[in-house]
Amino acid sequence: KSDLCPLFRWPKSGMYAEGYHKHVYPSGSSYEGEWRSGKKHGRGVYSYAGGGQYDGDFLDDKRHGSGKYTYPDGDVYQGDFVAGRREGRGKYVYAKGEMYEGEWVMDRMHGYGTYKYATGKTYTGYWLEDTPHGNGQLSDANMVYEVSYDRGNVLSQKAVRRTQQESNDPLAWLTNTFACGSISSVCAGDRSEVRK
């Protein structure tokens, strides 16, 4: 792509950067991609001096559209961005082995999504500003539960069926019928730290 660099012009006397170019900033960070009117605009890759990289769409110097952001600690987000923030639908994979896939608003898990915990539990349901809020389903190695949250606090939790891997027993349906009662909180302590 280096042969496209001549398409780039630095702003001066009414001339503006247009086309494709790689630029290294004094901080050591770099951007290689498309420019318009002296701003990152279109598709490009921004590599941060302190580690981390964004590969995706830009609009007026901001991450905007679809892209992949790799953080210095190994976390990876891939999905939608609006004005520099995670917003829309996206998947965030934590280096510690957890994952969230679903809706985002203003860099926060907000809306409907699925979170897979390192403990093996999975919650699918509604979120409010990074915390489970509303109705959803929580599953572990043995059982699936209907749960209701209020800003991360469990309001109710009820076993509804055994997980698929536990249902090989031909009488599992009968067991499930009698097993599905109210139980104590199963996911205490599972609220994960979320990148701000």
Side-chain angles (χ1 to χ4, degrees):
K1 293 183 178 179
S2 59
D3 59 328
L4 296 177
C5 289
L7 295 177
F8 176 82
R9 296 180 297 172
W10 282 111
K12 64 177 182 178
S13 304
M15 299 172 62
Y16 298 95
E18 303 287 347
Y20 188 99
H21 184 69
K22 180 176 181 180
H23 177 65
V24 179
Y25 296 87
S27 65
S29 297
S30 66
Y31 171 74
E32 182 172 2
E34 297 174 319
W35 298 74
R36 180 186 294 178
S37 299
K39 296 181 178 181
K40 298 182 290 292
H41 190 102
R43 195 75 182 179
V45 178
Y46 193 102
S47 301
Y48 295 84
Q53 184 183 80
Y54 172 74
D55 182 349
D57 297 326
F58 287 84
L59 178 68
D60 291 334
D61 264 347
K62 295 182 178 180
R63 299 185 296 273
H64 190 97
S66 177
K68 179 180 179 181
Y69 197 116
T70 302
Y71 293 88
D73 61 5
D75 290 358
V76 178
Y77 171 81
Q78 186 162 7
D80 298 330
F81 290 84
V82 174
R85 299 175 185 265
R86 300 186 296 271
E87 186 151 343
R89 290 197 59 82
K91 180 178 180 179
Y92 196 112
V93 179
Y94 296 84
K96 61 183 179 182
E98 300 186 337
M99 183 275 291
Y100 170 80
E101 184 170 9
E103 298 175 323
W104 297 80
V105 175
M106 299 286 286
D107 271 342
R108 295 185 175 188
M109 297 179 290
H110 191 99
Y112 191 83
T114 296
Y115 196 105
K116 295 184 178 180
Y117 298 91
T119 59
K121 297 173 184 174
T122 299
Y123 169 71
T124 299
Y126 291 94
W127 295 76
L128 177 68
E129 297 178 345
D130 284 342
T131 58
H133 183 79
N135 299 323
Q137 284 195 339
L138 179 72
S139 62
D140 58 23
N142 302 309
M143 194 73 71
V144 177
Y145 309 92
E146 287 183 351
V147 291
S148 181
Y149 290 94
D150 180 17
R151 292 183 178 273
N153 299 309
V154 178
L155 298 179
S156 65
Q157 193 160 316
K158 179 181 179 181
V160 292
R161 67 177 183 276
R162 293 189 180 276
T163 52
Q164 193 169 11
Q165 59 265 36
E166 294 292 325
S167 300
N168 295 326
D169 183 348
L171 295 180
W173 65 272
L174 184 61
T175 305
N176 293 345
T177 300
F178 292 99
C180 295
S182 296
I183 60 173
S184 60
S185 175
V186 177
C187 59
D190 270 352
R191 291 174 57 191
S192 64
E193 296 181 2
V194 179
R195 180 179 298 280
K196 305 296 183 185

